Amino acid sequence: MARLRPFNFVFVSTFLFVVWTGFVCCNNGRRVGDALETEFSGFSVPLEHSFEVDDIAKFSVRGALILKGGREPSVSVTQNQLSEEDRIKLKEVAAVDGLYRIRLPRVFLQGDRQTERQLEGYLTTFVRACAMVESHLSDVITLHTDVSGYLIGVSIVTLPGACRGIEIEDEVDLEVFNTTLSIMAPANAPGPETALFLERMEQESEKKGKNPQEQKSFFAKYWYLILGGAIFLMVTNSAQPPAGGGREQS
Amino acid sequence: MAMLILLWLKCIILCSTVEAVFEDQVGKFDWRQQYVGKVRFSHFDAQVQSSKKVLLATESNVFAALNTRTGELFWRHVDKAGAEGNIDALLHHGQDAVLVVGNGRLLRSWDVSVGGLNWEIVLDSGSFQAACLVGLTDTVRHVAVLKKNIISLHYLSNGHQKWIENLPESENVDYQAVYSDGNGEVYALGVVPHSHIAVVAYSVEDGEIIKQSSVEAPWLSNILASCTVVGQGMLTCVDSATMSLYTLDLNQQSQMTQIPLQSLGLEVAPGFHPVLVSHQPNPAHKPLSEFFLQLGPDQYLLLQLSEGQIVTLRDFKPAFLVSFATTGEKTVAAVMSPKNKTACSINLFGAETGRRLLDTTLIFTVDPNGGKPEKLYVQAYLKKDDSVGYRVMVQTEDHALTFIQQPGRLMWTREEALSEVVTMEMVDLPLTGTQAELEGEFGKKADGLMSMVLKRLSSQLILLQAWIAHLWKLFYDARKPNSQVKNDVTIENLSRDEFNLQKMMVMVTASGKLFGIDSKTGSILWRHYLDNIPSNAAFKLMVQRTTAHFPHPPQCTLLIKDKDTGLAMLHVFNPIFGKKSHVSPPALPQPILQSLMLPLMDQDYAKVLLLVDDQYKVSAFPSTKNVLQQLQEMASSIFFYLIDSNQGRLSGYRLRMDLSTEQIWEVAIPADIQRIVSVKGKRANEHVHSQGRVMGDRSVLYKYLNPNLLAVVTESTDTHLERSFVGILLIDGVTGRIIHEAVQRKARGPVHVVHSENWVVYEYWSTKSRRNEFSVIELYEGMELYNSTVFSSLDRPHAPQVLQQSYIFPSSISTLEATLTEKGITSRHLLIGLPSGGILSLPKMFLDPRRPEIVSEQSREENLIPYAPELLIRTEWFINYNQTISRVRGIYTAPSGLESTCLVVAYGLDIYQTRVYPSKQFDVLKDDYDYMLISSVLLALFFATMISKRLAEVKLLNRAWR
């Protein structure tokens, strides 16, 4: 049994690996000037963000996501640095516990032409601005697609996620985004595992068949106990009558 | 090894889940009520003078016979739900009741006396129009069925088809009625709207067309609505446009004779379509020549047609309802007219003369909390002195049936609205007067030491008084024989029991009638009919204030929303007494998108209800200053979500200080690929006792307990076997973060979901394997808890671990719910409503994604059952033993005061209430607990110690002397 545990672990980790194959890129945003990696089917969509003191969304471009469709969709990002002005504003928003929102347009990853890819509307999400500040702009953005390759949702979390009210003194910490980006397709939910179960049952019945010990009948296995018991009974029975008889006589 | 596993498995199953009712417990903790639904057709069984049967065919596709003395069911047949089992017609003659079912698909004959099926035949296709019994020379032997383009005649004895004929010109003529009066002919009556009437007479013997004619009738559009056959085969119609009666002799079929109503001195109420009511006592004889003409909502006329002349016999105004009834040779007309505001009087009149019969007045008291009378069914019988006596069954708008005997004695009432329960809640009963007095003492503000002492003394005195009264009652009752001691539950003596096992069930029905039912006995304690409910209303029932806040009365709010327009209204009431609250709910001029109950309370301890309208503006109820102030303080932490399933949009909003909202997240699922079929959050009153699970190696796996988690289920629009799928999305309702996304391929709905604690269980149909399957998803944080003190959706950066496993289930299911207990210590069971009428209590431990495929020492330590792909249905898991519940639509669970006990109500056509003990009754002593033994042992031990102590002392003394 114990030997099977590593196998189990391997199985789980491969499963996790399959699930996380979409995970691709971690770009620190310093390569804004670099050439866009638009390969065969890659295309770029704007990633926008908004943080306002009065909480009325005004989205501006944060960077560009390069999405690649196909069997294993992937995503990478190039993003700008925060300007001096934005840094101050972000800290102000964080001070009033405002929201830091991001949005990106709804797209279809498997489309060939630009018109096919773009859909009406945006996917939006948010995180508390203070969490953004306190994590020094380290965020994890996850894009979710549906079965056919439409982007259906986006989520953002910061690491660490809590707002502890720590003052950020160093302005440099708020310059560059440290983004971990991944794209996730829906996992395939498992069906009932009949094959494995049947296999196991078969193995067990085989094992039973091989082992002659198991096949022996009840009497064959325990004949000595039964015999012993019987003898014991006989002995006790035969021992009693004389005693009784003796009493009778007296 | 295998033996060991097997043994261990058996052991687990035996130890954990053997639970069934003992024979002497049947009906002790549970009750069932059977209903039939809204009555469509009803006939009294009149073949024997002393018959006690009334036959009912209902809109819920039920055919049943009731006992007219008690209102109980003799027998009941429940057909398929929906159009397939729809009862189109009920014909009753002697021992036989003939039903046409499923838009003319089946013809069935039932034996009335025992409710057995005589025969059933499948009719030729075609949409059903009408059916009638056909008699010949005083005996009824046939049934005629008229369809869109054919007419067929069947033997009443065995259902065999005697003949079938095509209807002439059936593509132009709309045949609507069939008529026969025992002269060897069957008439099919059709109409070409606004042109002419077509009359075809068939011979009963061979189906040959004897006569065929068409008569000009440019004013006629629908025969059933405006015509009837009266007297010697005279087709009589009424037209509101020309204000005339028209008669046509079916035997001669020349042309219609017009008789203007004015010539009879009559006038139709403006905007009212007049109706004719005739009566044919025996299908082998001609109908009566007397008939009723309804001229207005409260005016009826008894008219007589003789030799082409119409004579007014009597004018009934005001009169709500009329009905004919025949007993022996006598036919009478019953007329219901208003007496005063709360009562109606019913009188009998001789049908031939219109003269009032003496001593036949019957008073029907209209329930102020019920609906208006809608239909009147009269059972007439001959008394010993040959006069006519009668009983009536009144059907009211709220689907209630009331049976009354002369002179107004209420025999029974059946609340058939309860066959369509939409939603329900269980509310704790209030404390008794004395308990409330004590509670009140703590509630009041302190005003000085002396008065407090006095108050305490007075309440103690009251308690003492109550205790003495209780003792006296016990003593008094003990002297009486057992049968005389009655424990009737009435609304006055309602009070909470020791363990809060008895509760008030507030049930909302589709007809708009609300009920308060005592959960212990099932008796209806109050009812309230809301008469302005739109036909397609959606209901949401919320408990705003529980009984815990004496002296404030408990308060429930019912949100009624018109599904088409989205307009909503609120009904606020006291759930214990059913009375409408004096708190006036706000008017809601805008369509309502979402409603949510906040844990905030106003100064009167009423929880705040937020309503979001289509302008995304939020209104609060109650909206006192205190509430608005609290809302402003809390605004930034109040989030809600909206779902537009047509466009596949899920969006999240946050409340602003000024009660406007802002959108903060949006998830869009393309509606052309998958559509959202259900969204389930967690129940607000759910408690989770254990934060994690202890593993085999003594480490802890922490549960991911996100109270804001939503389970969204989607189904693919593509229904092809290979490409269809069911999608499960777990979304955080605050941040819109997709926690988990999975697709079950080659699967389709209907999907039933339960979402609780850290798990989601759903059931679907696997198109590939053609079977029902259960799947369970469990979420875990891992071996370490991120923040153990408080859960915040805004601060949980790590995605949870997701485990999932699926199982085969050998039956389809109707509904799914999970048990709920006070503190969440008791293990959970799933309650599964099966189409067979059973409620299965399946332990959640069988649906556990951590069930190992290969048994290890650790999994055994953890008590995990080894994985088996099939979930078995064990008969001892049925909590309703043989009490079948037809067409279960929903199961409601509520915690009781005992941690081990969960109250369960299953509703559908029937209502069933019981208790379940998922971990057995660990906190209750058994019924047969031996108090005598334990106390005698205790006493014996006590004396033994006393004696031995004494002996020890003596011994010590002796030793000291030595």
Side-chain angles (χ1 to χ4, degrees), chain A residues 184-211:
Chain A
M184 277 172 84
N188 271 331
E193 279 286 350
T194 40
L196 215 81
F197 182 76
L198 287 177
E199 206 176 291
R200 216 181 68 214
M201 293 289 278
E202 245 165 56
Q203 274 177 3
E204 262 159 29
S205 62
E206 255 174 47
K207 217 191 272 173
K208 213 186 250 177
K210 272 181 199 162
N211 195 346

Short mmCIF file of all heavy atoms in Angstrom, two decimals, chain A residues 184-211:
data_model
loop_
_atom_site.label_atom_id
_atom_site.label_comp_id
_atom_site.label_asym_id
_atom_site.label_seq_id
_atom_site.Cartn_x
_atom_site.Cartn_y
_atom_site.Cartn_z
N MET A 184 -6.56 30.46 -17.59
CA MET A 184 -7.07 29.15 -17.18
C MET A 184 -8.29 28.76 -17.97
O MET A 184 -9.24 29.53 -18.08
CB MET A 184 -7.42 29.17 -15.69
CG MET A 184 -6.22 28.93 -14.81
SD MET A 184 -6.62 29.17 -13.12
CE MET A 184 -7.29 27.61 -12.70
N ALA A 185 -8.23 27.55 -18.49
CA ALA A 185 -9.40 26.98 -19.15
C ALA A 185 -10.14 26.13 -18.12
O ALA A 185 -9.56 25.75 -17.11
CB ALA A 185 -8.95 26.13 -20.33
N PRO A 186 -11.41 25.86 -18.33
CA PRO A 186 -12.13 25.05 -17.34
C PRO A 186 -11.54 23.65 -17.22
O PRO A 186 -11.13 23.06 -18.22
CB PRO A 186 -13.56 25.00 -17.89
CG PRO A 186 -13.46 25.40 -19.30
CD PRO A 186 -12.30 26.31 -19.41
N ALA A 187 -11.50 23.17 -16.02
CA ALA A 187 -11.00 21.81 -15.80
C ALA A 187 -12.08 20.83 -16.22
O ALA A 187 -13.27 21.13 -16.15
CB ALA A 187 -10.70 21.63 -14.31
N ASN A 188 -11.65 19.68 -16.66
CA ASN A 188 -12.62 18.65 -16.98
C ASN A 188 -13.01 17.93 -15.71
O ASN A 188 -12.16 17.36 -15.03
CB ASN A 188 -12.02 17.64 -17.96
CG ASN A 188 -12.24 18.08 -19.39
OD1 ASN A 188 -13.22 18.75 -19.70
ND2 ASN A 188 -11.32 17.71 -20.25
N ALA A 189 -14.28 17.98 -15.39
CA ALA A 189 -14.73 17.31 -14.17
C ALA A 189 -14.69 15.80 -14.40
O ALA A 189 -15.08 15.34 -15.47
CB ALA A 189 -16.14 17.76 -13.83
N PRO A 190 -14.21 15.06 -13.44
CA PRO A 190 -14.09 13.62 -13.65
C PRO A 190 -15.45 12.94 -13.60
O PRO A 190 -16.34 13.36 -12.88
CB PRO A 190 -13.23 13.17 -12.46
CG PRO A 190 -13.50 14.17 -11.40
CD PRO A 190 -13.77 15.47 -12.10
N GLY A 191 -15.59 11.91 -14.38
CA GLY A 191 -16.79 11.08 -14.31
C GLY A 191 -16.56 9.98 -13.29
O GLY A 191 -15.50 9.91 -12.68
N PRO A 192 -17.54 9.12 -13.09
CA PRO A 192 -17.32 8.01 -12.17
C PRO A 192 -16.20 7.10 -12.66
O PRO A 192 -16.14 6.78 -13.85
CB PRO A 192 -18.66 7.27 -12.19
CG PRO A 192 -19.64 8.26 -12.70
CD PRO A 192 -18.90 9.15 -13.61
N GLU A 193 -15.31 6.69 -11.75
CA GLU A 193 -14.12 5.90 -12.11
C GLU A 193 -14.48 4.42 -12.11
O GLU A 193 -14.16 3.69 -11.18
CB GLU A 193 -13.02 6.16 -11.10
CG GLU A 193 -12.24 7.42 -11.33
CD GLU A 193 -11.27 7.31 -12.50
OE1 GLU A 193 -11.09 6.19 -13.01
OE2 GLU A 193 -10.73 8.34 -12.89
N THR A 194 -15.14 3.97 -13.14
CA THR A 194 -15.56 2.57 -13.13
C THR A 194 -14.42 1.64 -13.51
O THR A 194 -14.26 0.57 -12.93
CB THR A 194 -16.73 2.35 -14.09
OG1 THR A 194 -16.48 3.11 -15.25
CG2 THR A 194 -18.03 2.77 -13.47
N ALA A 195 -13.60 2.07 -14.49
CA ALA A 195 -12.57 1.18 -15.02
C ALA A 195 -11.60 0.76 -13.93
O ALA A 195 -11.31 -0.42 -13.75
CB ALA A 195 -11.83 1.89 -16.15
N LEU A 196 -11.12 1.76 -13.17
CA LEU A 196 -10.14 1.47 -12.14
C LEU A 196 -10.72 0.56 -11.06
O LEU A 196 -10.06 -0.35 -10.56
CB LEU A 196 -9.68 2.79 -11.51
CG LEU A 196 -8.22 2.82 -11.11
CD1 LEU A 196 -7.36 3.11 -12.31
CD2 LEU A 196 -8.02 3.87 -10.03
N PHE A 197 -11.98 0.86 -10.73
CA PHE A 197 -12.65 0.09 -9.70
C PHE A 197 -12.79 -1.37 -10.12
O PHE A 197 -12.48 -2.29 -9.36
CB PHE A 197 -14.02 0.70 -9.43
CG PHE A 197 -14.80 0.01 -8.34
CD1 PHE A 197 -14.48 0.22 -7.02
CD2 PHE A 197 -15.85 -0.84 -8.66
CE1 PHE A 197 -15.20 -0.39 -6.02
CE2 PHE A 197 -16.56 -1.46 -7.66
CZ PHE A 197 -16.24 -1.24 -6.35
N LEU A 198 -13.19 -1.56 -11.38
CA LEU A 198 -13.37 -2.93 -11.87
C LEU A 198 -12.04 -3.66 -11.88
O LEU A 198 -11.94 -4.83 -11.50
CB LEU A 198 -13.97 -2.91 -13.27
CG LEU A 198 -15.45 -2.52 -13.31
CD1 LEU A 198 -15.94 -2.47 -14.75
CD2 LEU A 198 -16.28 -3.52 -12.52
N GLU A 199 -11.00 -2.94 -12.31
CA GLU A 199 -9.67 -3.52 -12.35
C GLU A 199 -9.25 -4.00 -10.96
O GLU A 199 -8.75 -5.11 -10.78
CB GLU A 199 -8.69 -2.45 -12.83
CG GLU A 199 -7.46 -2.98 -13.51
CD GLU A 199 -6.63 -1.83 -14.02
OE1 GLU A 199 -7.06 -1.14 -14.99
OE2 GLU A 199 -5.56 -1.59 -13.45
N ARG A 200 -9.52 -3.13 -9.99
CA ARG A 200 -9.15 -3.47 -8.63
C ARG A 200 -9.91 -4.69 -8.15
O ARG A 200 -9.37 -5.58 -7.50
CB ARG A 200 -9.44 -2.28 -7.72
CG ARG A 200 -8.41 -2.12 -6.64
CD ARG A 200 -8.75 -0.95 -5.75
NE ARG A 200 -9.92 -1.19 -4.97
CZ ARG A 200 -10.81 -0.24 -4.62
NH1 ARG A 200 -10.64 0.99 -5.06
NH2 ARG A 200 -11.84 -0.54 -3.88
N MET A 201 -11.20 -4.71 -8.47
CA MET A 201 -12.02 -5.85 -8.07
C MET A 201 -11.48 -7.14 -8.68
O MET A 201 -11.38 -8.18 -8.02
CB MET A 201 -13.47 -5.65 -8.55
CG MET A 201 -14.20 -4.52 -7.88
SD MET A 201 -14.59 -4.88 -6.17
CE MET A 201 -16.07 -5.84 -6.41
N GLU A 202 -11.09 -7.02 -9.98
CA GLU A 202 -10.58 -8.20 -10.67
C GLU A 202 -9.30 -8.68 -10.01
O GLU A 202 -9.12 -9.88 -9.77
CB GLU A 202 -10.29 -7.84 -12.12
CG GLU A 202 -11.19 -8.59 -13.08
CD GLU A 202 -11.14 -7.95 -14.46
OE1 GLU A 202 -10.02 -7.83 -15.00
OE2 GLU A 202 -12.21 -7.57 -14.97
N GLN A 203 -8.44 -7.71 -9.72
CA GLN A 203 -7.17 -8.05 -9.06
C GLN A 203 -7.41 -8.78 -7.76
O GLN A 203 -6.76 -9.78 -7.46
CB GLN A 203 -6.38 -6.77 -8.77
CG GLN A 203 -5.53 -6.33 -9.95
CD GLN A 203 -4.83 -5.03 -9.64
OE1 GLN A 203 -4.93 -4.49 -8.54
NE2 GLN A 203 -4.12 -4.51 -10.63
N GLU A 204 -8.38 -8.27 -7.03
CA GLU A 204 -8.67 -8.88 -5.75
C GLU A 204 -9.18 -10.30 -5.90
O GLU A 204 -8.77 -11.20 -5.16
CB GLU A 204 -9.71 -8.04 -5.00
CG GLU A 204 -9.03 -7.12 -4.01
CD GLU A 204 -9.90 -5.95 -3.64
OE1 GLU A 204 -11.14 -6.10 -3.66
OE2 GLU A 204 -9.34 -4.89 -3.34
N SER A 205 -10.07 -10.47 -6.89
CA SER A 205 -10.62 -11.82 -7.07
C SER A 205 -9.53 -12.77 -7.56
O SER A 205 -9.50 -13.94 -7.19
CB SER A 205 -11.79 -11.79 -8.03
OG SER A 205 -11.36 -11.33 -9.28
N GLU A 206 -8.60 -12.21 -8.38
CA GLU A 206 -7.48 -13.03 -8.85
C GLU A 206 -6.61 -13.47 -7.68
O GLU A 206 -6.24 -14.62 -7.54
CB GLU A 206 -6.62 -12.21 -9.82
CG GLU A 206 -6.81 -12.62 -11.26
CD GLU A 206 -6.05 -11.68 -12.17
OE1 GLU A 206 -4.88 -11.40 -11.88
OE2 GLU A 206 -6.65 -11.23 -13.16
N LYS A 207 -6.35 -12.46 -6.84
CA LYS A 207 -5.50 -12.73 -5.67
C LYS A 207 -6.12 -13.84 -4.83
O LYS A 207 -5.46 -14.75 -4.35
CB LYS A 207 -5.40 -11.44 -4.84
CG LYS A 207 -4.01 -11.26 -4.22
CD LYS A 207 -4.03 -10.14 -3.22
CE LYS A 207 -3.75 -8.81 -3.85
NZ LYS A 207 -3.94 -7.70 -2.89
N LYS A 208 -7.42 -13.75 -4.70
CA LYS A 208 -8.15 -14.73 -3.93
C LYS A 208 -8.00 -16.11 -4.57
O LYS A 208 -7.83 -17.12 -3.90
CB LYS A 208 -9.63 -14.32 -3.90
CG LYS A 208 -10.30 -14.70 -2.60
CD LYS A 208 -11.77 -14.41 -2.67
CE LYS A 208 -12.18 -13.26 -1.80
NZ LYS A 208 -13.61 -12.95 -1.96
N GLY A 209 -8.10 -16.10 -5.92
CA GLY A 209 -7.99 -17.36 -6.67
C GLY A 209 -6.61 -17.99 -6.49
O GLY A 209 -6.47 -19.20 -6.35
N LYS A 210 -5.55 -17.14 -6.50
CA LYS A 210 -4.18 -17.65 -6.41
C LYS A 210 -3.90 -18.21 -5.03
O LYS A 210 -3.20 -19.19 -4.86
CB LYS A 210 -3.19 -16.52 -6.71
CG LYS A 210 -2.89 -16.39 -8.20
CD LYS A 210 -1.89 -15.27 -8.40
CE LYS A 210 -1.91 -14.80 -9.83
NZ LYS A 210 -1.30 -13.48 -9.95
N ASN A 211 -4.41 -17.56 -4.06
CA ASN A 211 -4.08 -17.94 -2.69
C ASN A 211 -4.92 -19.14 -2.25
O ASN A 211 -6.12 -19.01 -2.02
CB ASN A 211 -4.36 -16.74 -1.78
CG ASN A 211 -3.70 -16.92 -0.44
OD1 ASN A 211 -3.28 -18.03 -0.10
ND2 ASN A 211 -3.63 -15.86 0.32
#
